[in-house]
Amino acid sequence: MNTAMDIRREPVDCAGHDRTLLLRMFRKMLEAREFEEQLYYLFLTAAMPGTMHQAVGQEAVAVGVVSALNPDDSITSTHRGHAHCVAKDVPLKDMMAEMFAKREGSCRGMGGSMHLTDFNKGMLGAFAIVGSGIPIATGAALSARVRGSGQVAVSFFGDGAVNEGIFHEALNMAALWNLPAIYIIENNQYALSMTVAESSAVPDLASRACAYGMPGLRVDGNDVLAVYEATREAAKRARAGEGPTLIEALTYRIRGHARFEAAGYRPSEEVEAWKNADPIERLAAGLLASGIASEDELNVIRAEAEAAIEDAIEYAQSCADVRAEDYLSYITAEN
Amino acid sequence: MRQLSQAAAIREGIVQEMRLDPNVILLGEDVGKFGGAFHITHDMLDEFGAERVWDTPISEAGFTGLGIGAALTGLRPIVEYQYLDFIFCAMDQVVNQAAKIRLMSGGRAKVPLVLRGPQGATGRGAQHSQSIEAWFMHTPGMKVVMPSTPYDAKGLIISAIRDDNPVLFVEHKLLYGAASPGGGKALSDSAIQAIGTDVPEEAYAIPLGNADIKREGRDVTIIATLLMLHRALSVAEELAAEGVSAEVIDPRSLVPLDVTTIAASIAKTNHVVVVSEDVSRAGVAAELVATINDHCFYDLEAPVQRVAAANTPIPFAPASERHVIPQVDDIRAAVRRVLSS
Ligand SMILES: Cc1ncc(C[n+]2csc(CCOP(=O)(O)OP(=O)(O)O)c2C)c(N)n1
Ligand SMILES: [Mg+2]
């Protein structure tokens, strides 16, 4: 378990970074946060079917990584994937419609929260079998090589996923063949109730990279620019044919594992300490400290993000419900 | 008598066997400290300690293999999968190893191993909703157990633990009941019947391969497992008001299958409907139809009716999920079809 000593709270160091990029990151993180905050209320009122896994507190990882990619680069996501979608520019309205099981949803109401994705945005899918997106992103990297497309493929997965055998198989092949892949361990310190120390013999997860002869680094996952810089470097290497990189982004899952899971296995001081290291607040502080934006300007962006989610909910509720037989059109490619 | 939820009954069966036999151990994700994703292993870590209750990493292939190795060397492991969908990550260990070791060793080795977890469609999308038992019926060397009531669940889990073979023990999320210890999940289904909720405190074993007639009848035999058994019973109840007398049989284990009880019922009713939540194609119901044709063909007055899930991954949208999974209406319609042909 990580102690409060490991937690970094300092403002994101924005000096020398592009204002447009920074404000876009701020906006995306806010959208991801607000999307999930509103989902929570929708679940509370039973307005929403199924379940969900919130990435509240982890937004800097999704946004930092994707901001360093090209729009046509591929990613794979997980059961905890809403923020990845927001970062990858999946329209918020389509995402919300999917959550409500509407025909206009990004997966036509067939996928739901755990499979929320948009193939047109370079999202190959959200895979809810822990670890199963890792080889799939690796395959997209192989495909990019074969096709000579210059694309990079990124796999997001949790600290728990590194203990699936498929992690080893995929990273070995990626390194063996110098594939343009980037592996992002979103280390939120828990896999349901299990801490990293309770489930990995070597708790320094980035160090596993040495087994494959690839670079492995740990970054402050609540510092969106640290995540961005590490990913940019990895993408540069990948595109230059220098092979894959493993990045461990240290962050924290502020909420329970799923929907209403209470997470009673965590000391409340730990949760409180991490709430005080909020990645959105840290970016806001950095933007203010560097004079890149004023409080008023940030408030405008906050209001815009809230309004965008409100619009998405209103839109989604006005969409047509999935018709029971719709699935018949989607089972195989011939349908 | 004392009433228990199915979750509590499974838990009690496991706890009693663990008290009796120090070789029974647990392996699985979050089974210790957290007490299991569906609270089945609640408090077991406290009672039995970390040498018998192993909180594993997310490594299904690995911990299934560990279970096999431990079973080969004197233990009786119970391996939990949080959702049975995840057993597919361990398919080689189950299908190529656990199920084949007995034969490959010429009968010298045995693998007393229980693989258990929940399945069933509950609005979680395609990777958390499947019914998986047919894959393992198709794997000789395995037994497949399907408890539908709390009473059966306790007696069957005890038999599964005492069995010297790999046993897949298939639970259904909607049958756990709200009263699981540790504050359960409020999952339920309007068709779930309050049957078999009286559970004796002492340990008892229900032999595998013993079907149970859950309701006696004369006109038609309905064979169903898990949630579908409950839906079949509510159809039988409705039809009784119309003067149709349905006999409802719960096989309780699909391997071994109690053909004798099924055949005796069909000899009496001459009409059969088989119901299963797994996909229709090459599924449980298909196998039951074939078995009935093998054993009871000349007793049948109409073709056996098969009611099973549509041949599709399970869609997220609740309306579509309902369309895919057999409902009370589908079962009732099948009964009417078999009786009118
Ligand atoms: C193969 C598999 N095993 C188990 C699960 C159940 N499960 C879902 S999420 C989860 C924890 C995952 O932890 P981690 O990889 O750290 O991701 P996080 O939930 O923290 O984002 C578990 C055990 C699953 N979905 N797939
Ligand atoms: Mg985690």
Side-chain angles (χ1 to χ4, degrees), chain A residues 74 124 134-154 174 177-183 238 243-244:
Chain A
S74 319
L124 303 177
I134 306 174
I136 294 171
T138 309
L142 180 136
S143 162
R145 243 276 286 289
V146 171
R147 290 178 294 109
S149 70
Q151 288 162 297
V152 163
V154 175
W177 297 326
N178 273 326
L179 300 179
I182 304 174
Y183 300 99

Side-chain angles (χ1 to χ4, degrees), chain A residues 53 58 78-80 128-131 157-162 164 186 188 190-192 253 257, chain B residues 29-30 58 60 82-83 86 89 128:
Chain A
H53 301 77
Q58 306 178 207
T78 68
H79 58 286
R80 199 178 302 287
I129 302 298
V130 168
F157 49 91
D159 46 284
V162 304
E164 288 284 13
E186 218 163 317
N188 62 10
Y190 288 84
L192 214 176
R253 190 192 77 208
H257 170 69
Chain B
E29 293 154 17
D30 304 286
I58 310 177
E60 286 82 3
Q82 285 192 349
Y83 284 67
F86 313 149
C89 297
H128 287 72

Side-chain angles (χ1 to χ4, degrees), chain A residues 11 17 50 86 121 127 136 139-140 161 164 187 190 203 208-209 240 274 292 311 318 333-334:
Chain A
H17 283 276
V86 173
K121 297 291 182 187
F127 305 105
I136 294 171
E164 288 284 13
N187 182 357
Y190 288 84
R208 291 191 183 206
W274 278 95
I292 287 175
D311 285 355
S318 75
E334 288 73 30

